[in-house]
Amino acid sequence: MAEYDYDVLVIGAGPGGYVAAIRAAQLGLKTACAESGATLGGTCLNVGCIPSKALLNASHHYEAAHSGALAKHGIKVGQVELDLPAMLADKDGAVKGLTDGIAFLFKKNKVDWIKGLATFQDAHSVDVGGKTVTAKNIVIATGSSVTPLPGVEVDNAKGIVVDSTGALALEKVPGHMVVIGGGVIGLELGSVWRRLGAQVTVVEYLDQILPGMDGDVRKEAAKLFKKQGFDIKTGTKVTGVSVKGRKATVSVEPAKGGDASVIEADVVLVAIGRRPNTEGLGLDAIGLAVNARGQIETDHDFATKVPGVWAIGDVIPGPMLAHKAEDEGVAVAENIAGLTGIVNHDVIPSVVYTHPEIAGVGLTEEQAKERGPVKTGKFPMMANSRAKAIRDTEGFVKVIADAETDKVLGVWIIATPAGDMIAQAAQAMEFGASSEDIAYTCHAHPTHAEAFKEAAMAVRGKPIHM
Ligand code: FAD
Ligand code: NAI
């Protein structure tokens, strides 16, 4: 009889966990995945990436039709009506299609889905819903959940003070939505409800929105969001939220001190970040401590300090992004199988799926300058022929290169398809490209990607179209 029930047990079926499980099974390892949620796919598929992108797309179409913006293309639209229940149902359909798809992939790859909450008993055995499951290797992929704001009670069912999950299912377009936190969630979901008719105020503690992004991008993004109608209050802290009937009152004061004031709201979205899920996992039973940020530390192979126990995704340090979790899922399975699984954490793109999209990979100019002299090249979408042809010219491409070696250190893009454009930048950086390599790569015309080539030309001198 085998010593363990499984070669690999993955805890959590988000993008990190389900990918790790599938890859492990593909590599011939007997694999199971414990998931406490009713469906597979974790935060990303159920209440994150997928439903938010479905609503961003639908609300973009609605705004284009409703705002009269199509008229400039010679398209006259009659009366446009919002059918919010249908829009939400369509979003739910997209989620169901994808989560069912993971269940299908589990079956196809012979991954056992063990339903229930997993708690460690020792380094090779876990209690899942009252049943003990043993495995030679256990991968912790429990993800993250919303960081609470002390003194502010979220009640998604009531729909007044909500987190991102609640904001994906509001039954009515709020008159005024106050978003606490000018990060990715605040701007994406704020965009959805603004496009559908809400007035949106963003309250951000820091003096700029979008922490972690390049300085030029943060400044330009704030300008664009204000132009779209967002009221952005930076350098402002929320001291409390009270609810009376169907209205909320948000108490704010300047972050650096000063007079307090209040903002009335129909809906308050709390989006101040996410924290790793380790509570209830029984890490004490295996002697595994978390760091000061509540994360599980691993080595380069995603092994924790406890032999046989590995960790990936939002629960470990690094950006909390689905593709980072997925790549770590592949790598950890390969490492368990005795192969060499590597993730290059210096080249992880990030995208904000607003309109225009905002994307970056590698270092910001500020970070790059701390390491040594840099050259930068910037090309405005205003001078890109495709952007001009489709009358959508906001944004720019910025390339940051090492002043001595010309190696590309970072790329930042604001453009309608920035999320797709950044893949080329990531690939170039993964291959160690110089700005010259990009400038001399033939790009199809007319494409938005030509702006990347021209920004690379700008690093080395002059682009053609500017
Ligand atoms: P998760 O997806 O959080 O999955 C963890 C799973 O583990 C969950 O299903 C949970 O139920 C389960 N679990 C936890 N504890 C246990 C236990 N003890 N036993 C059994 N099961 C357990 N990222 C992007 O890259 N692009 C985006 O566009 C994007 N949009 C987002 C939009 C929103 C609104 C949110 C909230 C997040 C978004 N993210 C996006 C972030 C992305 O969802 C996460 O980075 C990603 O889901 C992390 O994957 P993971 O596998 O580490 O964890
Ligand atoms: P975030 O970290 O992006 O932004 C949170 C913002 O809240 C920051 O700007 C922070 O300064 C601010 N803040 C913190 N405390 C505050 C307070 N008390 N008052 C006012 N502002 C305060 O976190 P967010 O938006 O909640 O997203 C969580 C995670 O989900 C992110 O790590 C992100 O990577 C991931 N995500 C990714 C998406 C994507 O890739 N497109 C989309 C949505 C989420």
Side-chain angles (χ1 to χ4, degrees):
M1 214 177 91
E3 193 181 348
Y4 301 108
D5 300 331
Y6 293 96
D7 297 318
V8 181
L9 170 68
V10 181
I11 305 177
Y18 85 71
V19 167
I22 291 173
R23 189 79 186 116
Q26 285 172 343
L27 292 168
L29 300 168
K30 191 178 178 211
T31 305
C33 184
E35 170 56 57
S36 57
T39 51
L40 300 172
T43 304
C44 177
L45 273 67
N46 290 286
V47 290
C49 328
I50 298 305
S52 60
K53 267 78 256 182
L55 287 183
L56 277 158
N57 181 56
S59 61
H60 180 65
H61 289 320
Y62 173 76
E63 187 178 40
H66 184 261
S67 66
L70 294 176
K72 71 179 176 196
H73 302 294
I75 303 169
K76 280 192 189 166
V77 183
Q79 201 191 338
V80 176
E81 263 180 70
L82 174 66
D83 182 349
L84 185 58
M87 194 181 277
L88 296 177
D90 191 45
K91 168 221 39 163
D92 292 340
V95 168
K96 183 160 177 8
L98 281 153
T99 55
D100 285 353
I102 307 300
F104 167 78
L105 288 174
F106 268 18
K107 274 203 187 110
K108 186 177 161 201
N109 288 283
K110 300 193 172 47
V111 174
D112 289 343
W113 171 10
I114 305 178
K115 296 182 186 179
L117 193 76
T119 309
F120 278 101
Q121 292 171 334
D122 61 49
H124 296 285
S125 45
V126 166
D127 174 282
V128 191
K131 189 179 155 223
T132 298
V133 182
T134 62
K136 188 168 181 201
N137 295 281
I138 298 179
V139 180
I140 303 171
T142 48
S144 64
S145 37
V146 176
T147 305
L149 182 56
V152 178
E153 201 185 317
V154 165
D155 185 343
N156 286 332
K158 216 166 168 192
I160 300 173
V161 182
V162 298
D163 58 24
S164 54
T165 301
L168 288 165
L170 298 178
E171 283 168 4
K172 203 174 139 218
V173 178
H176 185 201
M177 172 183 251
V178 171
V179 180
I180 307 177
V184 196
I185 291 181
L187 294 165
E188 286 189 347
L189 295 182
S191 289
V192 166
W193 294 105
R194 186 200 57 71
R195 292 168 187 173
L196 298 181
Q199 180 201 338
V200 178
T201 301
V202 174
V203 182
E204 166 58 49
Y205 184 81
L206 300 175
D207 56 9
Q208 280 194 72
I209 58 169
L210 291 173
M213 294 224 152
D214 182 84
D216 276 348
V217 166
R218 296 174 78 178
K219 255 187 252 148
E220 183 65 16
K223 255 195 249 163
L224 293 174
F225 288 123
K226 282 181 189 161
K227 201 169 120 194
Q228 291 173 6
F230 275 90
D231 181 5
I232 299 180
K233 297 187 188 307
T234 49
T236 306
K237 84 173 165 205
V238 171
T239 52
V241 177
S242 61
V243 176
K244 208 167 174 198
R246 295 293 313 166
K247 293 272 177 196
T249 303
V250 184
S251 305
V252 297
E253 61 183 49
K256 291 181 181 138
D259 292 342
S261 55
V262 295
I263 313 172
E264 305 294 335
D266 301 291
V267 169
V268 177
L269 164 58
V270 182
I272 60 162
R274 295 178 61 84
R275 60 179 187 184
N277 288 333
T278 54
E279 222 176 301
L281 194 53
L283 293 181
D284 287 352
I286 57 169
L288 191 59
V290 294
N291 69 15
R293 305 189 64 193
Q295 298 156 326
I296 297 174
E297 300 269 0
T298 69
D299 65 12
H300 221 69
D301 294 334
F302 307 104
T304 69
K305 288 208 172 80
V306 179
V309 178
W310 312 71
I312 54 166
D314 280 10
V315 79
I316 72 168
M320 288 181 163
L321 295 172
H323 41 279
K324 177 240 184 207
E326 289 185 56
D327 285 8
E328 290 176 349
V330 170
V332 77
E334 293 181 348
N335 288 326
I336 290 171
L339 306 173
T340 308
I342 296 172
V343 177
N344 179 1
H345 285 101
D346 292 336
V347 184
I348 299 205
S350 64
V351 181
V352 188
Y353 295 86
T354 47
H355 188 94
E357 292 179 345
I358 302 165
V361 62
L363 302 180
T364 63
E365 184 175 347
E366 296 77 19
Q367 289 166 334
K369 278 182 171 159
E370 276 173 24
R371 300 188 186 189
V374 299
K375 294 181 295 182
T376 62
K378 212 166 156 186
F379 188 81
M381 296 314 292
M382 183 70 95
N384 171 265
S385 56
R386 179 65 173 272
K388 281 172 94 91
I390 66 166
R391 302 276 192 252
D392 206 354
T393 52
E394 282 169 335
F396 58 77
V397 179
K398 175 174 172 180
V399 175
I400 302 154
D402 186 296
E404 220 170 274
T405 64
D406 193 35
K407 187 174 171 184
V408 176
L409 303 173
V411 177
W412 294 88
I413 305 175
I414 302 183
T416 310
D420 284 318
M421 290 167 74
I422 205 69
Q424 186 198 349
Q427 199 159 46
M429 286 175 65
E430 193 65 48
F431 291 167
S434 62
S435 76
E436 185 180 24
D437 292 329
I438 295 160
Y440 283 104
T441 300
C442 187
H443 285 63
H445 174 78
T447 57
H448 291 91
E450 284 175 290
F452 181 38
K453 175 191 170 99
E454 297 237 36
M457 289 171 105
V459 172
R460 318 187 56 252
K462 281 227 144 262
I464 299 295
H465 295 97
M466 213 175 62

